[in-house]
Amino acid sequence: MALKAAGRPSAETLLLWEREQARLRTRVLHGDTEAWQRDAAFSGLRRVGGVDVSFVRGDDSRACASLVVLSFPELQVVYEDSHLVRLKAPYVSGFLAFREVPFLVELVQRLQEKEPGLTPQVLLVDGNGVLHQRGFGVACHLGVLTDLPCIGVAKKLLQVDGLENNSLHKEKIMSLQAGGDTFPLMGNSGTVLGMALKSHDHSTKPLYVSVGHRISLEVAVRLTHHCCRFRIPEPIRQADIRSREYIRRTLGTPGSPAQMRARSREEQRPKAYPKGGPGPAGPPKDSGRGPSPDLEDLQLCFQEQQDGQPEGTGHHEDSGLRTPSPPWEDDL
């Protein structure tokens, strides 16, 4: 079960966070910026990344941040990096980035320094992009700070701008017949904030895809579907599996029987790593774009937290992709 929130940041901190979101939001690019995005077969796309933050059971301030890079279209892991972190900012719906993004940016920076030729050409993020209370979710935040194309992929509908998980919405879900079927998520403002996607023929629940940065919604939806072997896109799924496995190895947490069965299946698959896996020898065309200096501003926002401020929760309303025990059966 989700951990109960221990407290909230001050009103001053929330205002500071809102102002930072508004400032960075002006830098989001909603269209396609790369040649591979304009090709129907994604010709030129070789590396897709996924990120995840998994929480240590019983401790809402300790977590494992993970980044994986997969070859495309093979969807084989060619790079992975996981680190235990201590979260300093509490969880507040709509402000997930201030809790998690600094650790994800550090993972991207470390990859660009160690193996620049494996820098992902796009990141799939288990959270929302412009489908957000203020139009700037975690996928937008991470995209702007890393200057990488980012896609928000959420498991549950974030009910903003009049969007509701009501009977009409459920009827639309029932109309999705085959993997790849979609319907638009249009708010009361008249803006299409994202798309509901049936990611797999046998999935009964859609994913909610939205633009993060430097990609169009149409391309984001198509690519997300191409990355789905199961319900959850493989880059996010692999980041989640490996972050939980890292916690188990490091802290000795055995996990549930379902997790152990999933690990057993995963261990039987061939693993590829930076120096042994597929991937180009040279850096990608966009590898010269370094991470944004605005990460320093984001870290300053964290420092506004008072010493002794109660820390937050692992509950993840913004995405629904994180749960204490991942529902592996939902992947099928």
Side-chain angles (χ1 to χ4, degrees), residues 99-151:
R99 181 167 166 84
E100 299 183 359
V101 160
F103 305 111
L104 301 178
V105 172
E106 288 176 6
L107 289 173
V108 173
Q109 289 176 332
R110 188 156 40 241
L111 167 58
Q112 291 172 330
E113 292 170 0
K114 294 196 310 182
E115 298 282 351
L118 293 173
T119 299
Q121 294 163 277
V122 60
L123 281 172
L124 276 68
V125 183
D126 57 341
N128 290 293
V130 299
L131 175 57
H132 179 264
Q133 292 91 330
R134 286 166 295 282
F136 193 75
V138 62
C140 297
H141 216 134
L142 183 60
V144 168
L145 293 185
T146 61
D147 201 25
L148 292 173
C150 279
I151 302 171

Side-chain angles (χ1 to χ4, degrees), residues 81-273:
D81 190 9
S82 298
H83 287 269
L84 287 176
V85 299
R86 186 166 292 279
L87 305 171
K88 299 185 181 299
Y91 170 78
V92 182
S93 181
F95 297 101
L96 178 65
F98 294 93
R99 181 167 166 84
E100 299 183 359
V101 160
F103 305 111
L104 301 178
V105 172
E106 288 176 6
L107 289 173
V108 173
Q109 289 176 332
R110 188 156 40 241
L111 167 58
Q112 291 172 330
E113 292 170 0
K114 294 196 310 182
E115 298 282 351
L118 293 173
T119 299
Q121 294 163 277
V122 60
L123 281 172
L124 276 68
V125 183
D126 57 341
N128 290 293
V130 299
L131 175 57
H132 179 264
Q133 292 91 330
R134 286 166 295 282
F136 193 75
V138 62
C140 297
H141 216 134
L142 183 60
V144 168
L145 293 185
T146 61
D147 201 25
L148 292 173
C150 279
I151 302 171
V153 183
K155 190 175 177 182
K156 295 181 180 179
L157 176 67
L158 184 61
Q159 301 183 67
V160 297
D161 194 19
L163 293 173
E164 295 183 48
N165 189 16
N166 53 22
S167 58
L168 177 59
H169 184 76
K170 292 174 182 176
E171 287 178 11
K172 291 180 179 179
I173 292 175
M174 294 295 293
S175 72
L176 302 176
Q177 297 298 311
D181 287 354
T182 63
F183 64 83
L185 302 170
M186 181 177 291
N188 288 340
S189 64
T191 301
V192 175
L193 300 175
M195 298 286 283
L197 166 69
K198 184 180 179 72
S199 59
H200 190 274
D201 285 344
H202 302 295
S203 177
T204 59
K205 299 177 182 179
L207 299 175
Y208 298 97
V209 181
S210 56
V211 169
H213 183 53
R214 290 179 54 198
I215 198 166
S216 67
L217 181 58
E218 184 269 334
V219 171
V221 171
R222 283 200 302 114
L223 181 57
T224 299
H225 182 229
H226 273 71
C227 287
C228 289
R229 288 175 171 168
F230 305 101
R231 183 190 176 203
I232 306 301
E234 200 66 8
I236 294 175
R237 182 173 173 270
Q238 288 297 327
D240 177 77
I241 289 172
R242 290 158 195 272
S243 63
R244 295 180 187 278
E245 176 66 13
Y246 188 86
I247 290 174
R248 185 191 70 83
R249 291 199 315 267
T250 304
L251 302 180
T253 304
S256 68
Q259 287 174 288
M260 294 174 71
R261 288 194 298 271
R263 283 196 298 268
S264 178
R265 291 195 299 269
E266 183 60 27
E267 287 168 358
Q268 294 174 15
R269 298 177 183 175
K271 291 183 173 66
Y273 296 96

